[in-house]
Amino acid sequence: MAKGNQKRAGGRPRTQSLLEHYRPIEGVVDEMVDASGNPRPAWQSFIGALDDLGAEALGQRFARADQYLRDAGVYYRVYDKAGANEREWPLAHVPLLIDEKEWAEISAGLVQRADLFEAMLADIYGPNRLIEKGILPAGLIAASPEYLRPVVGVRPASGHFLHMVAFELGRGPDGRWWVLGDRTQAPSGAGFALENRVATTRALSDIYGELHVHRLAGFFRRFRDALNGMAKDSGGRVAILTPGPLNETYYEHAYIARYLGIMLLEGEDLTVSGGRLMVRTVSGLMPIGVLWRRLDAAFADPLELKPDSQIGTPGLVEAIRRGTVSAVNGLGSGLAETRALLSFLPRIARELHGEELKLPNIATWWCGQQAERDHVLANIDRMVVGPALSTRLAFEDDGATRLGSALSAGGRAELIARIEADGVGFVGQEAVTLSTTPVFAGGRLEPRPASLRVYLARTHEGWTVMPGGFARVGFSLDPTAMAMQRGGQAADVWVVSDRPVERETLLPQETDGFTRTMPGSLPSRAAENLTWLGRYVERSEDTVRVLRAYHVRLAETSDPEMPLLADIRDYLEPFGIEVETAIPLGLIGTLDSAVYSAGQIRDRFSPDGWLALKDLSKTIHKFAETVAPGDDATRAMTVMLRKLAGFSGLLHENMYRFTGWRFLEIGRRLERGIQIGRTLARLTKADAPDGALDMMLEIGDSVMTHRRQYPVQSGRRTVIDLLALDPLNPRSILFQLERLKAEIGMLPSVGGEGHMSPAAKEILQLNTALAVMEPQDMTAKVLDDLAIQIGDLYNSLAKAYFG
């Protein structure tokens, strides 16, 4: 086994090469070393650099990459018996390296394949010559759930069915790359490929800098420019359509939207009006010209496609039919993923383009034809047999695919009987042994089976291939363990050149023009979630302040029955806050609701803000298990207040002052006004227990200010003056109303220019009425009514902007 260079950087001797105990699997191509055990050309410098670092330093670096992914909140959703759960992104730290010349050959084959699928879909949904000539079986196409009859005869507005495609590749024992499957529906993983690159280069920045690795940013910039160009032609905007936060790859949808500066929408955000697809925004309906869908086509329109879909938009098919919106990819394009179609592609290529496939499929036989069925039955021991209409790869199937050689005698006989009875429902595929790539495990490199997902995007210049992609790597030698749902890992892919490569970014050239998106383009659902995020965070802070004041006094007196503490218990109970436990479930639920609201708008939320919010949630759940009432709870509440203040400060200082920030600020001010009003009414009432005024000042974070402002006299009126009527106190009710008046006044007009919205009128009346009041006029009932009136402002806002 080759040991690479014999010295470390600086001339220090190496104790042991990482290749020392690396043992490729016999009869399997290894991506890192050749048959003699020597590093392949693209890997030589890389392996030498890893050896210079040594196993211990590598482990530390890879741990930093994992920490980055945790800090960034990168996750995918796993569905199992326990339900849907978020899992940390499983990075395989060692990238897969491919030489630039080999990549050029792969790219050429995939561009040919993408063009072939475009032509095939145009024929199937158009003149149907392939079926007419008997090249494609009509029954196979008609039986596929991905064949959408409502779009038959509909020519895409852009002129193309496909704009973003992906192909799953595997290298066989003969050294050739084979296409294992096609992704033409709504290819996922491009955003994860970006995160793989960021995390991997965090760990190996010096090595990455020395090697000539092609960058990924140019691929995304060209695709973004193509989408914007299509939208400009249609007079609309670009949007990404997601199934929502419960989708397994929702993180990627939000990440790509944030990375490219594109609106992320759900089906309920959209409506069709006058034959145009429109997004509901706080400024009214705005047209969408390009919809990059990340959900399966059948769910896109419950009116004409899947009637029980809860995530689509009624009328979308009609808008596409009229040519007012371009779907990326076109509805019905998922048909090209059908496993049985692989058996017909070589002939289709000859028919449509007069050429052979440059990259062959994995050998596939559809059992709906006699000769092919007989071949599969005669060779079933070396076949993988599965559903003909499946769009999954064999190794990610849900148990419906069988490896013939692994079947028992009874299982084999049962499968043969099913194929003989219903051959049209099955395909046989050659059982391919995939190549292996190294993973870092237990301080050493070990081979694992891998497949490669490569992305192509249609741009103004034609198809462009992402120079890299996404490698799925098994956590064991079992190739079925590569699927992400089954514990597989994801590796970055480095396309390595022997000369310097262009350092591309998403930034435009200085000579390029630009447009600034109008603030009013904020979708209504996003505005609503931002408002509730502000409310939930502020509600949490107020509750924590009340609880801290309670537990301080409980620790001092050890008497939970003292009148003031009993009064606070009675006050909090209707709101679901039970102080018998140090960390009430009601408080936990409020913070969880804040996390949920933020999760609905991940594309508009900074990674730092998300990390801070998740840290808050993690902290309070930990405290719920360990904290006791009294002094212990007091310290815990102080920690929570610091973290809440940090989160609020992060948003206040770093968030761009666009319409979304205004709704977040409005939510905070509404909730603070409500909470201060309620608490002030309770603790300043005529029969309030001893110590209530001091507690109110403490809850309002105004103890020191009160001492300075009222050094001679203090009492109920001074407390009300400071916490209700002082326009300079950021905790006072009047201060909240002043801020609400300013922010509501700057929201997009809903009644035409020059007309005040109902919410603006209400806040002006409230603000004016409170500004002229005196402390002695503010009874407990007046304060309670004021809190209710502030709460009613939300209803006016919701009616105007969230409907």
Side-chain angles (χ1 to χ4, degrees), residues 282-294:
V282 295
S283 295
L285 298 179
M286 292 188 175
I288 296 296
V290 176
L291 191 66
W292 182 4
R293 62 179 180 85
R294 300 304 301 271

Side-chain angles (χ1 to χ4, degrees), residues 359-376:
L359 274 179
N361 302 321
I362 181 174
T364 304
W365 295 266
W366 179 50
C367 296
Q369 297 167 308
Q370 186 64 49
E372 284 75 8
R373 180 164 63 249
D374 292 343
H375 177 80
V376 170

Side-chain angles (χ1 to χ4, degrees), residues 108-409:
L110 295 182
V111 168
Q112 179 205 43
R113 194 175 186 88
D115 282 335
L116 176 62
F117 279 134
E118 176 67 39
M120 182 182 72
L121 288 168
D123 178 79
I124 291 173
Y125 287 103
N128 250 326
R129 294 190 182 94
L130 291 173
I131 291 177
E132 182 183 337
K133 293 181 179 182
I135 295 171
L136 271 176
L140 176 64
I141 300 301
S144 173
E146 299 300 335
Y147 177 65
L148 304 183
R149 288 172 176 79
V151 295
V152 171
V154 177
R155 186 66 180 167
S158 66
H160 300 287
F161 285 87
L162 301 176
H163 297 268
M164 168 74 82
V165 295
F167 301 103
E168 202 84 24
L169 307 180
R171 196 199 295 271
D174 61 357
R176 291 194 300 169
W177 288 98
W178 295 75
V179 178
L180 305 176
D182 309 288
R183 291 288 175 259
T184 57
Q185 171 82 263
S188 64
F192 288 125
L194 274 172
E195 286 287 32
N196 286 344
R197 176 62 56 91
V198 174
T200 303
T201 53
R202 285 282 182 99
L204 305 173
S205 57
D206 47 353
I207 301 175
Y208 180 78
E210 291 175 1
L211 298 180
H212 304 310
V213 182
H214 284 269
R215 269 55 174 179
L216 303 181
F219 171 85
F220 289 97
R221 187 189 71 247
R222 286 185 281 274
F223 185 51
R224 178 199 61 189
D225 292 347
L227 294 177
N228 287 333
M230 291 164 56
K232 185 177 180 181
D233 292 340
S234 68
R237 298 166 182 265
V238 182
I240 297 175
L241 178 62
T242 175
L246 292 181
N247 183 262
E248 63 181 13
T249 57
Y250 175 75
Y251 170 84
E252 184 209 0
H253 305 168
Y255 178 81
I256 285 288
R258 190 167 57 237
Y259 182 68
L260 299 182
I262 298 174
M263 281 194 294
L264 183 66
L265 305 176
E266 295 182 30
E268 64 181 288
D269 295 322
L270 297 164
T271 187
V272 175
S273 177
R276 290 217 65 170
L277 184 66
M278 313 290 280
V279 56
R280 297 182 177 93
T281 77
V282 295
S283 295
L285 298 179
M286 292 188 175
I288 296 296
V290 176
L291 191 66
W292 182 4
R293 62 179 180 85
R294 300 304 301 271
L295 51 76
D296 288 353
F299 293 89
D301 184 349
L303 195 63
E304 297 199 49
L305 299 172
K306 194 175 177 61
D308 59 346
S309 172
Q310 300 294 314
I311 55 177
T313 302
L316 176 59
V317 169
E318 179 60 24
I320 292 172
R321 192 178 287 127
R322 293 193 184 193
T324 60
V325 63
S326 293
V328 176
N329 288 329
L331 298 185
S333 57
L335 177 67
E337 297 184 1
T338 306
R339 197 181 295 182
L341 282 182
L342 292 173
S343 62
F344 300 97
L345 281 182
R347 188 177 175 189
I348 293 173
R350 291 190 290 271
E351 173 66 25
L352 295 180
H353 291 159
E355 57 190 17
E356 300 294 330
L357 292 174
K358 295 177 182 178
L359 274 179
N361 302 321
I362 181 174
T364 304
W365 295 266
W366 179 50
C367 296
Q369 297 167 308
Q370 186 64 49
E372 284 75 8
R373 180 164 63 249
D374 292 343
H375 177 80
V376 170
L377 292 175
N379 297 277
I380 198 167
D381 287 337
R382 59 186 186 88
M383 291 278 180
V384 174
V385 180
L389 299 180
S390 175
T391 58
R392 299 187 178 194
L393 301 179
F395 65 73
E396 65 181 15
D397 208 276
D398 57 0
T401 298
R402 298 286 187 269
L403 178 62
S405 61
L407 293 172
S408 64

Side-chain angles (χ1 to χ4, degrees), residues 523-661:
S524 298
R525 182 180 55 85
E528 185 176 15
N529 277 295
L530 284 164
T531 304
W532 276 106
L533 173 62
R535 292 195 65 173
Y536 284 133
V537 170
E538 190 63 37
R539 187 178 299 176
S540 298
E541 180 178 339
D542 178 80
T543 302
V544 167
R545 289 185 179 279
V546 174
L547 288 172
R548 185 174 68 167
Y550 176 90
H551 286 286
V552 164
R553 286 153 181 80
L554 180 63
E556 290 173 349
T557 64
S558 299
D559 180 14
E561 298 306 319
M562 68 175 292
L564 180 58
L565 297 187
D567 192 62
I568 288 296
R569 284 199 302 275
D570 292 342
Y571 167 66
L572 291 175
E573 186 177 358
F575 305 115
I577 308 298
E578 298 180 354
V579 297
E580 283 76 10
T581 56
I583 310 295
L585 291 177
L587 175 59
I588 296 174
T590 302
L591 262 178
D592 286 345
S593 295
V595 173
Y596 176 81
S597 293
Q600 303 293 308
I601 46 173
R602 284 293 297 272
D603 60 311
R604 298 175 179 274
F605 217 67
S606 75
D608 287 338
W610 179 254
L611 179 64
L613 190 56
K614 291 290 283 186
D615 180 58
L616 270 168
S617 178
K618 181 179 178 181
T619 299
I620 197 167
H621 280 275
K622 180 180 178 181
F623 282 164
E625 300 174 356
T626 59
V627 171
D631 191 55
D632 202 18
T634 301
R635 288 193 295 269
M637 295 303 163
T638 300
V639 171
M640 289 301 302
L641 276 178
R642 286 202 303 266
K643 294 196 173 191
L644 282 162
F647 173 74
S648 298
L650 186 68
L651 295 185
H652 185 78
E653 293 300 322
N654 296 336
M655 197 169 177
Y656 184 74
R657 281 353 186 219
F658 73 130
T659 311
W661 180 85

Side-chain angles (χ1 to χ4, degrees), residues 25 28 180 384 393-397 403 431-436 448-451 472-484 486-489:
I25 302 170
V28 176
L180 305 176
V384 174
L393 301 179
F395 65 73
E396 65 181 15
D397 208 276
L403 178 62
V432 175
T433 301
L434 297 175
S435 62
T436 57
R448 294 288 186 271
S451 68
R472 293 204 273 189
V473 184
F475 70 92
S476 71
L477 293 177
D478 179 4
T480 64
M482 291 194 301
M484 304 305 292
R486 300 186 185 183
Q489 304 173 85

